[in-house]
Each structure stands twice: as structure tokens, then as C-alpha cells.
């Protein structure tokens, strides 16, 4: 079968899917298996995991078939994935601390195909959500807040670095 060259916006979206989706799946599966959450936390996390897998596979198939990605679709996909990730981080965060990395995926993905301003805005929004989730969990020791600060800085700085690298690659 001959490999088809897709427009650059489709290539970027597929690139994000190729790496972010398996990482998201790994984080959630490990979170469920290793931490063994109970009740609703496990059941809703499993449902969101399955839904996310199906949605992202279907989105990838659709993008390849249509050979273009409308910005409204990308916004919808971003919002749906971020919303699911927020809920999973809330549900599993008390059981599996590495689950916070799920929230880093959205701004890092945005960094690949959008502007620096949008990358910074999405990063700041995700950090705000991370702080809010920490406050809702009631984990308020200096150690807990120090970890949230480090995670927030990681999300913002890595997203901006990826955005700058993507901008450099576009110039070539």
C-alpha cells in the first residue's frame, strides 16, 4: 500500500495521537492496576479510558480519511480529551500520583500545532486545574503544594519549549 502524504495540520494531529494516546492509556491502565482504586473511581476511570481509546482511534481514522482537520474539530477533540483527563486525574489522583502527567498532554499537544499564546493559555489553564484538584483533595501540606508547583512549572516550561521547537521546524 502506498503511503499517502497528508497536509501538515493532519500530520501534526496524527503525530500527537501517535505518542500522546499510548502514554495516556499507559498512565490510566497502570493507575488502575497498580493502585487498585475501588468503586466509582475504578469504574468511571475504566469507562473514560475505553471511551477515550475509541474516540481517539475514530478521530485519527476520520482525519486520515478527510485529509484535513478543521480547527473546530481540533478544539472539540482538545476539550473532550482534557475534560476526560481532568475527571480521571481527580478520580485516580488520590491513588496514583503519576496520573497528573495526563494533564500535561493537552498543552504539550497544543504546542505542536498552535501558537505560543494559545500554548501558554492552555498551559496556564491546566496548571489552574491542577491547583484546583489539589485543593479539592484537601492535601495541603507544604510538600503537597511544592509538588504541585513543580508539576505546574514542568507543564508550562515543557509546553513552551515544544512550541518553540515546532516553530523552528516550521521555518525550515
Amino acid at each position: 500500500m502506498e503511503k499517502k502524504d497528508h497536509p501538515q495540520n493532519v500530520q501534526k494531529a496524527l503525530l500527537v495521537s501517535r505518542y500522546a494516546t499510548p502514554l495516556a492509556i499507559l498512565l490510566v491502565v497502570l493507575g488502575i492496576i497498580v493502585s487498585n482504586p475501588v468503586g466509582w473511581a475504578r469504574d468511571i476511570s475504566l469507562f473514560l479510558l475505553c471511551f477515550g481509546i475509541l474516540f481517539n482511534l475514530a478521530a485519527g481514522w476520520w482525519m486520515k480519511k478527510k485529509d484535513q482537520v478543521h480547527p473546530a474539530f481540533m478544539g472539540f477533540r482538545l476539550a473532550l480529551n482534557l475534560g476526560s483527563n481532568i475527571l480521571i486525574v481527580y478520580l485516580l489522583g488520590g491513588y496514583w500520583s503519576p496520573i497528573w502527567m495526563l494533564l500535561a498532554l493537552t498543552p504539550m499537544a497544543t504546542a505542536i500545532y498552535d501558537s505560543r499564546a494559545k500554548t501558554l493559555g492552555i498551559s496556564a489553564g491546566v496548571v489552574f486545574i491542577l491547583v484546583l484538584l489539589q485543593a479539592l483533595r484537601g492535601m495541603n501540606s507544604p510538600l503537597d503544594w511544592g509538588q504541585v508547583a513543580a508539576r505546574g512549572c514542568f507543564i508550562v516550561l515543557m509546553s513552551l519549549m515544544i512550541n518553540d521547537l515546532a516553530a523552528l521546524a516550521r521555518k525550515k
Side-chain angles (χ1 to χ4, degrees):
M1 177 183 257
E2 191 176 307
K3 184 179 176 187
K4 183 177 181 181
D5 286 333
H6 297 287
Q8 198 172 51
N9 64 344
V10 172
Q11 289 177 9
K12 289 177 188 176
L14 294 172
L15 177 72
V16 167
S17 293
R18 183 180 315 135
Y19 295 102
T21 301
L23 179 57
I25 292 167
L26 178 69
L27 284 169
V28 177
V29 167
L30 282 174
I32 291 169
I33 291 172
V34 173
S35 69
N36 198 24
V38 294
W40 288 101
R42 179 195 61 233
D43 297 343
I44 294 173
S45 296
L46 279 170
F47 170 79
L48 290 171
L49 173 66
C50 293
F51 173 77
I53 291 169
L54 291 174
F55 173 74
N56 285 295
L57 285 173
W61 173 83
W62 185 79
M63 286 185 288
K64 285 179 187 176
K65 183 179 177 196
K66 291 292 184 186
D67 214 26
Q68 61 178 237
V69 182
H70 193 278
F73 176 74
M74 291 306 293
F76 172 72
R77 186 173 179 218
L78 181 144
L80 192 64
N81 281 319
L82 180 59
S84 295
N85 290 349
I86 290 167
L87 190 51
I88 291 171
V89 170
Y90 177 74
L91 292 169
L92 295 181
Y95 298 98
W96 176 245
S97 63
I99 200 70
W100 71 269
M101 289 186 281
L102 210 50
L103 292 178
L105 296 176
T106 299
M108 288 180 180
T110 302
I112 292 171
Y113 53 79
D114 224 316
S115 69
R116 183 174 180 81
K118 182 143 185 200
T119 298
L120 184 58
I122 296 288
S123 297
V126 165
V127 170
F128 175 77
I129 291 164
L130 195 61
V131 168
L132 184 63
L133 291 173
Q134 182 74 21
L136 288 173
R137 254 191 229 106
M139 301 167 70
N140 295 313
S141 75
L143 175 63
D144 294 330
W145 285 111
Q147 289 177 357
V148 169
R151 292 169 183 165
C153 289
F154 173 84
I155 289 169
V156 172
L157 294 174
M158 289 298 107
S159 297
L160 291 174
M161 181 184 75
I162 291 167
N163 185 261
D164 285 348
L165 288 171
L168 280 174
R170 283 189 292 270
K171 289 179 184 177
K172 291 186 177 187

